[in-house]
Amino acid sequence: WTKIYWNEQTRALTVDGEKITFPYTIQAIGDPDRMESGLRLMGGVLDNLAIYDIRPTVKQVDRLNLTTATIPDAKYLRAKK
């Protein structure tokens, strides 16, 4: 899971603890209707961003071309006994 949130202290969108700058695109895989309704909840993500005059465009698409994730650092993993 990726954690995306508005950091009140830095007044910036933060992805997994890293500040990102405008403009940007967030793409997500999942049930489009459920994800969009979650964004539009009263007092939710879109309402909170509107306080800062940030008004994202939400668009549902049938297909996405996403880049692959990097291979995690498995240096400290051990087999389950």
Side-chain angles (χ1 to χ4, degrees):
W1 295 94
T2 299
K3 184 176 181 180
I4 302 172
Y5 64 96
W6 180 258
N7 185 317
E8 190 65 39
Q9 293 175 333
T10 62
R11 298 181 57 87
L13 191 67
T14 305
V15 177
D16 289 338
E18 185 174 326
K19 178 180 170 182
I20 60 174
T21 58
F22 294 100
Y24 45 80
T25 300
I26 298 172
Q27 298 179 331
I29 298 172
D31 181 302
D33 293 325
R34 289 183 67 192
M35 290 194 308
E36 184 168 345
S37 67
L39 289 172
R40 297 190 185 282
L41 287 172
M42 187 177 299
V45 173
L46 296 182
D47 279 354
N48 288 333
L49 291 174
I51 293 169
Y52 302 98
D53 201 28
I54 300 170
R55 304 189 190 282
T57 301
V58 177
K59 182 171 96 173
Q60 295 183 14
V61 296
D62 291 328
R63 290 180 178 257
L64 285 178
N65 289 322
L66 300 176
T67 57
T68 58
T70 57
I71 298 173
D73 183 1
K75 183 176 179 180
Y76 299 104
L77 295 179
R78 283 186 259 145
K80 187 176 178 179
K81 295 181 181 183

